[in-house]
């Protein structure tokens, strides 16, 4: 007992307890981040690190002169603008449905959540088969006399097709978060509003939606971060090239190719930090937009 008391009361013992976590975070998180920031100001390749040299902000300037990077940034922005509002609205709608008194709601919850826990590679391969020239989608459209196409090989439809896949795979996860938010709303508020004669739409607009504001803020931020970091779907579907004609090239895919195919680690690090600041700015804007209520 005395030994235990002396250990818990000793500041040195406390420091020893947090030392493994501190070392792990420093070595595997903080250290690599600082090293990548240092690399972003250098022309560097791991093939011949002795030839690395300091180039200042040249890597950051190069990004805005690089047409492929601009195309990747545009594709990523379009992808985010299309996916985020769509999946937030559908997730809220599904949460409202399965939160109600519908028969088989447990089955629906599992069904909607199932794509979230499915491997992205497996889902991508499945969509490759669904959207190919003789796939199920074109066979279905053929019933209505609509001519099919190779959706994922078409410059105009490749990115929207992947956006559809992203919405389908992530909406279940956000539905569960909305469901938790809905169940935290006190029922007394709905009962009082019903006594005052408020209909379903007014109860949703004046009670549900405002009280879900912190949940919506969290979902929007997580969704923006996820869409700006999209990589695996694009990599599998375009075989790592971002085709056709860079139609599915995103910032992270271009960054990956620069780092591990072109071995330009300095340029890739600069792109990574640019992406970090874009996400940071969008998060701060969202926080301002959603107001003080979102502060924890």
């Amino acid at each position: 007992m005395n030994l235990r008391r002396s250990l818990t009361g000793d500041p040195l013992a406390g420091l020893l307890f947090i030392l493994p976590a501190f070392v792990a975070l420093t070595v595997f998180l903080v250290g690599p981040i600082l090293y990548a920031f240092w690399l972003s100001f250098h022309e560097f390749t791991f093939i011949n690190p002795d030839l690395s040299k300091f180039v200042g902000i040249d890597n950051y300037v190069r990004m805005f002169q690089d047409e492929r990077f601009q195309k990747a940034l545009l594709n990523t922005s379009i992808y985010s603008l299309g996916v985020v509002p769509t999946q937030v609205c559908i997730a809220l709608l599904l949460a409202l449905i399965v939160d109600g008194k519908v028969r088989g709601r447990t089955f629906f919850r599992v069904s909607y959540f199932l794509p979230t826990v499915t491997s992205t590679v497996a889902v991508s391969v499945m969509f490759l088969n669904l959207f190919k020239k003789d796939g199920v989608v074109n066979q279905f459209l053929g019933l209505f006399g609509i001519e099919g196409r190779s959706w994922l090989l078409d410059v105009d439809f490749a990115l929207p097709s992947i956006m559809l896949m992203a919405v389908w795979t992530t909406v279940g996860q956000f539905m569960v978060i909305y469901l938790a938010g809905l169940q935290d709303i006190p029922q007394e508020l709905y009962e009082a509003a019903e006594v005052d004669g408020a209909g379903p739409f007014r109860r949703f607009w004046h009670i549900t939606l405002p009280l879900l504001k912190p949940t919506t803020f969290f979902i929007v931020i997580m969704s923006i971060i996820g869409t700006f970091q999209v990589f695996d779907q694009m990599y599998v579907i375009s075989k790592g090239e971002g085709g056709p004609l860079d139609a599915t090239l995103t910032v992270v895919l271009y960054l990956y190719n620069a780092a591990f195919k072109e071995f330009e680690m300095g340029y890739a690090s600069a792109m990574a930090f640019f992406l970090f600041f874009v996400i940071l700015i969008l998060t701060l804007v969202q926080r301002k937009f959603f107001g003080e209520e979102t502060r924890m």
Side-chain angles (χ1 to χ4, degrees):
M1 180 63 77
N2 290 335
L3 177 61
R4 182 179 178 184
R5 188 180 295 116
S6 65
L7 284 174
T8 55
D10 188 351
L12 180 61
L15 292 174
L16 289 174
F17 277 120
I18 66 169
L19 185 61
F22 177 78
V23 171
L25 285 173
T26 303
V27 173
F28 296 109
L29 183 64
V30 179
I33 290 174
L34 294 177
Y35 186 57
F37 188 64
W38 178 83
L39 284 181
S40 70
F41 296 101
H42 290 74
E43 185 180 303
F44 182 88
T45 173
F46 282 111
I47 294 177
N48 199 346
D50 294 335
L51 296 180
S52 67
K53 62 180 180 181
F54 180 75
V55 294
I57 62 171
D58 284 2
N59 286 328
Y60 291 92
V61 174
R62 179 183 166 189
M63 282 189 301
F64 298 100
Q65 299 171 340
D66 185 344
E67 291 185 359
R68 287 203 77 199
F69 175 77
Q70 293 171 15
K71 177 67 175 175
L73 185 60
L74 177 64
N75 286 343
T76 307
S77 302
I78 293 172
Y79 178 85
S80 184
L81 285 171
V83 170
V84 173
T86 305
Q87 67 186 9
V88 169
C89 292
I90 295 177
L92 177 59
L93 180 63
L94 293 177
L96 289 170
I97 292 172
V98 299
D99 190 49
K101 296 177 181 177
V102 293
R103 295 182 64 180
R105 60 181 182 176
T106 303
F107 169 77
F108 288 118
R109 289 178 184 179
V110 174
S111 301
Y112 296 143
F113 190 73
L114 202 56
T116 303
V117 295
T118 306
S119 163
T120 306
V121 175
V123 172
S124 300
V125 172
M126 185 180 76
F127 268 71
L128 274 170
N129 286 292
L130 286 175
F131 284 90
K132 64 183 182 180
K133 185 71 176 179
D134 56 348
V136 175
V137 173
N138 284 335
Q139 290 180 20
F140 177 75
L141 293 176
L143 298 176
F144 303 96
I146 301 173
E147 186 180 356
R149 63 184 71 212
S150 297
W151 300 91
L152 295 171
L153 297 178
D154 189 301
V155 176
D156 297 323
F157 291 97
L159 187 61
S161 301
I162 296 176
M163 289 162 65
L164 180 66
M165 180 180 69
V167 171
W168 182 73
T169 53
T170 55
V171 76
Q173 175 187 359
F174 296 135
M175 179 204 71
V176 171
I177 298 173
Y178 263 131
L179 197 57
L182 285 171
Q183 292 175 354
D184 277 346
I185 299 175
Q187 291 301 311
E188 293 81 4
L189 295 177
Y190 292 112
E191 293 169 2
E194 199 169 350
V195 170
D196 289 341
F201 179 75
R202 292 186 65 186
R203 292 200 298 272
F204 170 76
W205 189 258
H206 294 288
I207 297 175
T208 306
L209 215 50
L211 292 181
L212 282 178
K213 209 171 179 180
T215 308
T216 304
F217 172 75
F218 174 75
I219 288 175
V220 169
I221 292 302
M222 294 300 294
S223 184
I224 287 176
I225 293 173
T227 52
F228 268 86
Q229 292 181 335
V230 62
F231 169 74
D232 37 11
Q233 299 99 323
M234 308 297 185
Y235 186 87
V236 173
I237 288 175
S238 71
K239 296 180 174 62
E241 300 299 329
L245 296 177
D246 291 342
T248 59
L249 184 67
T250 60
V251 173
V252 177
L253 180 58
Y254 187 50
L255 182 160
Y256 172 85
N257 288 337
F260 300 107
K261 291 184 177 178
E262 306 296 332
F263 303 109
E264 295 182 290
M265 295 302 296
Y267 187 43
S269 298
M271 284 191 278
F273 275 93
F274 174 80
L275 187 62
F276 165 75
F277 282 112
V278 168
I279 293 173
L280 178 64
I281 290 169
L282 289 175
T283 303
L284 293 176
V285 169
Q286 289 293 326
R287 190 179 177 85
K288 186 72 176 177
F289 177 76
F290 277 88
E292 299 297 320
E293 300 96 303
T294 58
R295 292 187 178 177
M296 307 300 284

